[in-house]
């Protein structure tokens, strides 16, 4: 395809991706208002994000497998339709359980868009030239992440109300659907006698879900301790299901996550690195919005504006690194630099509290944005460079799966740490006022305006002081990313769409565990 033809095809693809990402970032800013209106808790706050990310992650490998077998155009249009249905259901939600169910439907559609857009680009552009187009995709991601919080804040503060944060995505998705119908023309190499490993997908989803549920409720009043019989049961069952997943995948005719691909050295290490990128991408945006609103008392619109340094850093780093990779053919220096910036940025954010200067917070978040932008799409390029065109959907979706999985785990774990830390700090503050420490439970409801003035002040300060703790944890996770990307083999980017037989990276097919 010519550059013009590729750009025409990208219009609909990027429009669809923009819509899916916009739904996440709009919600991130609107969540304090949504959860307050629906009388939800801090745990519910985290699960509105986690449920969508978990569904996204669980469905991504399935979409990626389908992309290697069936018509990618029909698949991406189907994903848009599913996403629209979920958005409408979320907009009409009257309580937290209904909202969570709608977010699951949204997540399934988002999983398709995440996997298929990358797979289609990988099917029509060679790895050496892919940096340019991945830069465009990174720019769309950055714009959606910068515009989403602001748009979400404006909608929440307007007479429309928070429900339109979901409804506004519907016409955008329909426009993307029509654009794809007109501009995307891609041949399908249809295979006969194919099968989908639904059992493996079920085991994987169940194992991950159980572990996330354990993390979300462990250590909270009224549930169970971190070290208890219930915790041991959750962890044991979750790990057993994941072990069964590995066994099933090793035996399946068409595994949902082929072990021969994910255990290839480059792919395996990129997956490890992507987990921390997911923490940065979703964790930072989720809890920064809450920090600005719940702790600092800003409106949703202002909170959206204050998140611009994060997404501006992503935009600059993603576009610039993509262009430079296409020009020079070197990708590893960018992902190593991005990892270093991620560690530094999260480490700096680990020092914030409810009184930190906002310009300082903006500079810190910009560093996180630069690191995330250099890593996000460039890790996918490195992986796509090691596989043939028939496996590109599976390989790309594997990286996207673990990035989203990292985001789901990150939001859930960080949310749990935040809730526990807020409860401890609030209890200390209440005790100083002579209030029974059992009143700290009042802070569990995020409708802070309903709290008495002195109690509200204590809870807001607690959220601000507790936020630094979760970013310090994220910095430790980012260290793992740095180690992983340093170990990735620095293989030159090929200029062909498909991989030649003599180019098979046999020397890289080491198990990641052996490498470690």
């Amino acid at each position: 395809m010519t550059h013009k033809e590729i750009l025409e095809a990208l219009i609909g693809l990027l429009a669809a991706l923009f819509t899916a990402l916009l739904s996440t970032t709009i919600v991130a800013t609107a969540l304090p208002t949504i959860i307050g209106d629906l009388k939800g808790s801090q745990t519910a706050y985290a699960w509105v994000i986690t449920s969508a990310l978990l569904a996204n992650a669980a469905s991504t490998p399935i979409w990626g497998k389908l992309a290697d077998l069936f018509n990618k155009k029909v698949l991406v249009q189907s994903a848009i339709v599913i996403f629209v249905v979920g958005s409408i259901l979320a907009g009409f939600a009257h309580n937290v359980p209904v909202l969570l169910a709608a977010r699951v439907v949204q997540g399934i559609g988002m999983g398709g868009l995440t996997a298929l857009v990358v797979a289609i680009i990988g099917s029509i552009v060679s790895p050496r030239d892919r940096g340019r187009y991945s830069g465009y995709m990174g720019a769309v991601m950055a714009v959606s992440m910068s515009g989403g919080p602001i748009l979400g804040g404006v909608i929440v503060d307007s007479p429309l109300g928070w429900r339109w944060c979901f409804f506004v995505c519907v016409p955008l998705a329909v426009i993307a659907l029509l654009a794809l119908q007109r501009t995307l023309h891609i041949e399908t190499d249809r295979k006969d006698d194919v099968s989908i490993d639904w059992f493996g997908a079920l085991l994987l989803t169940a194992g991950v879900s159980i572990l996330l549920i354990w993390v979300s409720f462990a250590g909270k009043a009224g549930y169970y301790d971190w070290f208890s019989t219930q915790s041991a049961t959750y962890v044991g069952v979750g790990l057993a299901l994941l072990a069964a997943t590995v066994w099933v995948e090793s035996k399946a005719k068409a595994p949902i996550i082929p072990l021969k691909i994910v255990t290839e050295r480059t792919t395996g290490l990129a997956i490890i690195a992507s987990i921390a990128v997911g923490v940065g991408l979703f964790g930072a945006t989720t809890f920064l919005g809450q920090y600005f609103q719940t702790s600092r008392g800003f409106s949703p619109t202002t909170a959206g504006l204050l998140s611009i340094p994060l997404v501006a850093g992503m935009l600059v780093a993603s576009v610039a690194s993509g262009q430079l990779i296409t020009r020079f053919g070197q990708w590893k220096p960018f992902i190593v630099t991005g990892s270093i910036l991620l560690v530094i940025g999260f480490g700096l954010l680990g020092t914030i509290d409810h009184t930190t200067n906002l310009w300082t917070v903006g500079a810190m978040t910009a560093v996180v944005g630069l690191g995330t932008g250099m890593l996000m799409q460039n890790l996918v390029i490195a992986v796509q460079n090691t596989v043939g065109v028939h496996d590109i959907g599976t390989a790309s979706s594997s990286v996207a799966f673990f990035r989203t999985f990292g985001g789901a785990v990150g939001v859930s774990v960080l949310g749990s740490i935040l809730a526990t830390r807020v409860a401890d700090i609030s209890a200390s503050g209440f005790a100083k006022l002579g209030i029974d420490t059992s009143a700290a439970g009042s802070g569990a409801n995020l409708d802070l305006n309903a709290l008495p003035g002195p109690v509200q002040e204590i809870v807001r300060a607690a959220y601000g002081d507790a936020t630094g703790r979760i970013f310090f944890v994220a910095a430790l996770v980012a260290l793992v990313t740095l180690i992983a990307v340093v170990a990735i083999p620095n293989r030159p980017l090929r200029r062909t769409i498909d991989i030649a037989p003599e180019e098979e990276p046999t020397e890289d097919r080491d198990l990641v565990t052996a490498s470690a």
Side-chain angles (χ1 to χ4, degrees):
M1 297 176 67
T2 65
H3 177 60
K4 180 180 178 181
E5 291 171 334
I6 293 174
L7 286 179
E8 289 177 348
L10 280 178
I11 292 174
L13 292 173
L14 296 183
L17 185 64
F18 174 81
T19 305
L21 292 172
L22 189 68
S23 71
T24 301
T25 54
I26 282 181
V27 171
T29 305
L31 262 184
T33 301
I34 295 173
I35 296 301
D37 186 41
L38 298 180
K39 308 301 179 185
S41 64
Q42 177 64 43
T43 299
Y45 182 101
W47 268 92
V48 171
I49 300 294
T50 300
S51 59
L53 292 180
L54 181 59
N56 186 335
S59 64
T60 294
I62 298 175
W63 287 107
K65 189 65 180 178
L66 292 173
D68 290 332
L69 303 176
F70 303 112
N71 188 299
K72 294 180 178 65
K73 179 176 180 177
V74 173
L75 288 174
V76 75
Q77 290 176 317
S78 301
I80 292 175
V81 172
I82 293 173
F83 173 79
V84 167
V85 172
S87 298
I88 294 174
L89 292 175
F92 285 111
H94 62 281
N95 57 35
V96 172
V98 173
L99 178 61
L100 293 180
R103 291 289 286 168
V104 169
V105 177
Q106 268 193 315
I108 293 173
M110 290 164 60
L113 295 174
T114 303
L116 294 167
V117 170
V118 175
I120 291 172
I121 292 176
S123 300
I124 60 179
V125 184
S126 69
R128 177 62 185 269
D129 296 326
R130 206 167 292 154
R132 175 197 299 179
Y133 301 102
S134 294
Y136 296 152
M137 186 161 61
V140 167
M141 289 182 175
V143 170
S144 67
M145 294 186 71
S146 60
I150 299 172
L151 180 59
V154 170
I155 291 175
V156 170
D157 289 336
S158 74
L160 292 174
W162 62 263
R163 296 183 184 278
W164 275 91
C165 289
F166 298 104
F167 292 145
V168 74
C169 295
V170 174
L172 296 176
V174 173
I175 291 172
L177 185 69
L178 297 176
L180 280 172
Q181 182 63 33
R182 188 178 68 86
T183 62
L184 181 60
H185 306 286
I186 185 171
E187 295 183 2
T188 302
D189 184 10
R190 188 177 298 278
K191 300 178 182 179
D192 298 324
D193 190 28
V194 298
S195 61
I196 302 296
D197 181 23
W198 298 109
F199 185 49
L202 177 63
L203 288 173
L204 180 64
T205 305
V208 171
S209 300
I210 288 175
L211 291 177
L212 287 179
I213 291 172
W214 165 64
V215 168
S216 296
F217 298 103
K220 291 185 173 64
Y223 292 97
Y224 45 83
D225 295 329
W226 285 101
F227 298 98
S228 62
T229 302
Q230 294 96 323
S231 288
T233 301
Y234 275 112
V235 174
V237 173
L239 293 178
L241 288 171
L242 293 180
T245 301
V246 174
W247 184 82
V248 168
E249 295 299 273
S250 67
K251 304 294 183 182
K253 175 183 176 182
I256 204 69
I257 301 181
L259 297 183
K260 71 174 184 178
I261 291 179
V262 299
T263 56
E264 189 274 325
R265 185 175 177 182
T266 296
T267 307
L269 291 170
I271 283 171
I272 294 173
S274 294
I275 292 176
V277 173
V279 174
L281 181 63
F282 299 106
T285 55
T286 298
F287 294 109
L288 274 175
Q290 185 175 19
Y291 170 78
F292 290 132
Q293 293 179 65
T294 304
S295 175
R296 307 303 290 267
F298 291 108
S299 69
T301 302
T302 304
L305 292 171
L306 290 172
S307 69
I308 287 179
L310 174 71
V311 292
M314 289 181 57
L315 174 62
V316 172
S318 178
V319 175
S321 63
Q323 294 290 337
L324 292 173
I325 287 173
T326 296
R327 181 174 180 180
F328 298 108
Q330 296 293 323
W331 52 269
K332 187 165 183 177
F334 295 100
I335 64 173
V336 172
T337 302
S339 301
I340 294 173
L341 290 174
L342 206 60
V343 173
I344 295 173
F346 278 138
L348 292 173
L349 283 173
T351 65
I352 67 174
D353 58 28
H354 73 284
T355 62
T356 304
N357 181 276
L358 292 178
W359 287 101
T360 302
V361 176
M364 294 173 178
T365 56
V367 175
V368 172
L370 289 170
T372 305
M374 287 189 183
L375 281 165
M376 193 162 48
Q377 292 307 311
N378 296 335
L379 284 171
V380 177
I381 292 175
V383 170
Q384 290 179 340
N385 190 51
T386 65
V387 299
V389 70
H390 289 292
D391 291 323
I392 206 162
T394 302
S396 302
S397 64
S398 296
V399 177
F401 163 77
F402 284 100
R403 182 176 65 221
T404 308
F405 172 74
V409 172
V411 171
S412 184
V413 172
L414 296 179
S416 180
I417 294 172
L418 180 65
T420 302
R421 184 66 176 158
V422 167
D424 292 341
I425 298 176
S426 297
S428 177
F430 293 145
K432 292 179 180 178
L433 291 180
I435 301 175
D436 186 350
T437 55
S438 62
S442 301
N445 191 313
L446 292 185
D447 187 12
L448 299 188
N449 293 327
L451 300 176
V455 174
Q456 183 181 141
E457 184 178 342
I458 289 174
V459 174
R460 289 190 184 279
Y463 270 98
D465 296 342
T467 300
R469 175 71 62 87
I470 66 176
F471 286 121
F472 176 75
V473 173
L476 298 178
V477 177
L479 281 174
V480 178
T481 296
L482 178 59
I483 295 171
V485 299
V486 168
I488 294 178
N490 190 12
R491 302 183 70 240
L493 296 176
R494 67 177 188 267
R495 292 184 178 275
T496 57
I497 296 293
D498 205 356
I499 191 170
E502 62 270 15
E503 291 183 288
E504 283 290 338
T506 54
E507 73 276 8
D508 288 339
R509 294 199 177 277
D510 306 322
L511 288 175
V512 175
T513 52
S515 173

